Amino acid sequence: MILTLKILFWVCLLLVLYTYIGYGAFLFIVLKIKRLLFGSAKEPVLPADDEALPPVTLMICAYNEEDVIPEKMENIRQLDYPADKLCVMWVTDGSNDRSNELLSQYDEVKLVFSTERKGKAAAMQHGLRENQAEYVVFTDANTMLNAMAIKEIVRQFMKDNVSCVSGEKRVAARHRGEVAAEGEGLYWKYESTLKRWDSELYSAMGAAGELFAVRMSHYREAPSNALLDDFMMSMLIVADGHRIAYTSDAYAMEYGSANMTEESKRKRRIAAGGLQSIWWLRSLMNPLRYPKVCFQFVSHRVLRWSLTPVAMLALIPLNLFLVLMKAGTVYTVVWWLQVAFYLAAVAGYVLARSGRKNKLLYVPYYFLFMNLNVFRGMAYLRSHSTSGTWEKARRG
């Protein structure tokens, strides 16, 4: 009995440590060795003449975004890309506000709309049927791009076997001390580092909808009921043997969630979409067919969206039983470390609720918050598996 508990304990503990620390440490060490032995890869250079740049479609799928359209269009006009090479396409998905009326006032906008709301994946497919460019850049209505974003994405497509490019998501807090926004920003700094290292090792494991692009000759349609349409679309390209390049020089800036309730809406939808995607992309976990992708996909995505939160929860009773059975000093030490972690998370929650924040306490709180929302995502998936529509989280 005690031997079985010990084995389960160590399996769960190592799983949690590997998922959140070990995989990143592995990438860091392997890439250091790779650079030392082979040097850094040569970066492609864009044509000096803008006329040699390829046509690009910038697609914004939107539902009731009238409040951000003027700001978004001003941002688009600041992009450093030849106007005659950039098709600005807005796809409104069942919007019942003034979005279509506002967009019709911009001569450079190609407006595609549907009177029925079918979800973002369906809106993308609708827009792509009207597209004529080889390269399509997707971005959200409420995210603002840096001026060189389109050129940087086009440059990434010049790399060997790259058929999808993921830009960087950056999160800003509208006001100092906004807990949800600052927590989301902290998470995305960590996530962006892993994506950059994944890309350098072989391929990034998925793209985020705030800013990513596809090569249409290698595009595969995501299911219309996909909760993470951007992730599915990009990973289907990987399944066909192509790579996703990641670049922090093309980035999308957006405000974080208005509060933790709104952030929870995002997290549980992402968790649900992650579980949905794992099942649809299960062939990628075949190491004989996809040796590199299998390792990266399981390490970066599958564990985080499925087994690791369960292992983290299981550690509590397993550790407690081993302490009560006097299994050894190491189990007592780990138990008190767990107690300290959860007490810190609770203290971080209490401070956040009162409008204050302590960085030392906030990290365990947000980490626990993310993992708890994986379980909420399981319930969300059961009720949303047949539809790609979802409730937007209010931004700060």
Side-chain angles (χ1 to χ4, degrees), residues 26-304:
F26 171 83
L27 289 176
F28 178 80
I29 293 168
V30 167
L31 291 175
K32 282 283 187 183
I33 296 171
K34 180 182 176 183
R35 294 172 200 140
L36 185 64
L37 294 177
F38 304 106
S40 299
K42 187 176 180 181
E43 290 290 322
V45 179
L46 284 172
D49 183 4
D50 280 357
E51 288 302 311
L53 292 171
V56 172
T57 293
L58 178 65
M59 186 182 297
I60 306 102
C61 296
Y63 170 71
N64 287 355
E65 296 284 9
E66 64 177 4
D67 292 341
V68 300
I69 286 173
E71 183 182 4
K72 181 67 173 182
M73 286 305 303
E74 180 59 30
N75 175 248
I76 290 172
R77 287 175 169 176
Q78 299 301 315
L79 294 174
D80 184 13
Y81 206 80
D84 61 333
K85 296 291 185 77
L86 185 65
C87 171
V88 180
M89 182 186 294
W90 282 76
V91 185
T92 57
D93 177 45
S95 293
N96 51 25
D97 63 354
R98 296 177 57 249
S99 292
N100 290 350
E101 180 185 341
L102 290 174
L103 289 168
S104 65
Q105 299 173 13
Y106 294 92
D107 294 336
E108 67 267 42
V109 167
K110 180 175 183 178
L111 178 59
V112 178
F113 63 91
S114 170
T115 56
E116 180 184 357
R117 190 182 182 201
K118 298 179 180 179
K120 190 175 178 183
M124 283 179 168
Q125 293 165 17
H126 189 186
L128 289 175
R129 288 194 291 270
E130 303 294 326
N131 168 65
Q132 296 180 339
E134 170 69 350
Y135 301 106
V136 179
V137 178
F138 299 93
T139 185
D140 289 341
N142 62 345
T143 60
M144 303 302 145
L145 311 183
N146 62 308
M148 293 298 294
I150 307 298
K151 280 188 175 179
E152 172 60 19
I153 286 171
V154 168
R155 190 179 72 84
Q156 293 294 321
F157 276 118
M158 297 167 64
K159 292 181 176 179
D160 182 50
N161 201 32
V162 168
S163 291
C164 178
V165 178
S166 174
E168 183 169 277
K169 174 182 176 178
R170 298 185 183 181
V171 180
R174 192 177 292 274
H175 304 291
R176 187 178 179 182
E178 282 185 346
V179 175
E182 293 186 7
E184 187 184 348
L186 182 68
Y187 166 76
W188 273 102
K189 288 177 182 177
Y190 163 74
E191 179 66 13
S192 295
T193 300
L194 287 185
K195 284 187 174 185
R196 186 170 68 252
W197 289 347
D198 268 339
S199 180
E200 188 176 348
L201 183 66
Y202 174 65
S203 171
M205 289 294 105
E210 288 78 13
L211 179 60
F212 79 107
V214 298
R215 186 193 302 268
M216 288 306 299
S217 54
H218 295 154
Y219 160 77
R220 281 181 59 189
E221 189 174 284
S224 60
N225 61 328
L227 294 170
L228 291 183
D229 41 80
D230 41 19
F231 181 78
M232 275 301 302
M233 189 186 297
S234 57
M235 289 303 292
L236 286 172
I237 287 174
V238 173
D240 279 346
H242 306 290
R243 296 170 51 224
I244 303 172
Y246 180 82
T247 175
S248 58
D249 292 330
Y251 59 85
M253 182 72 74
E254 70 175 351
Y255 291 115
S257 299
N259 51 53
M260 294 304 284
T261 301
E262 296 299 314
E263 179 67 355
S264 182
K265 290 180 185 178
R266 279 189 356 96
K267 290 299 182 189
R268 66 175 180 259
R269 177 182 64 82
I270 291 171
L275 289 167
Q276 184 188 57
S277 301
I278 288 170
W279 176 249
W280 285 341
L281 297 167
R282 58 192 180 277
S283 64
L284 294 181
M285 290 183 272
N286 182 346
L288 298 179
R289 185 178 177 188
Y290 300 101
K292 293 179 182 177
V293 174
C294 172
F295 170 68
Q296 290 185 280
F297 183 50
V298 170
S299 297
H300 192 163
R301 297 300 186 186
V302 176
L303 293 180
R304 193 186 299 184

Side-chain angles (χ1 to χ4, degrees), residues 316 319 332-348 360-365 368:
I316 299 173
N319 201 173
T332 303
V333 171
V334 174
W335 171 252
W336 286 112
L337 287 174
Q338 283 206 77
V339 170
F341 169 81
Y342 286 108
L343 286 175
V346 170
L360 187 63
L361 300 176
Y362 186 72
V363 171
Y365 165 45
L368 182 60

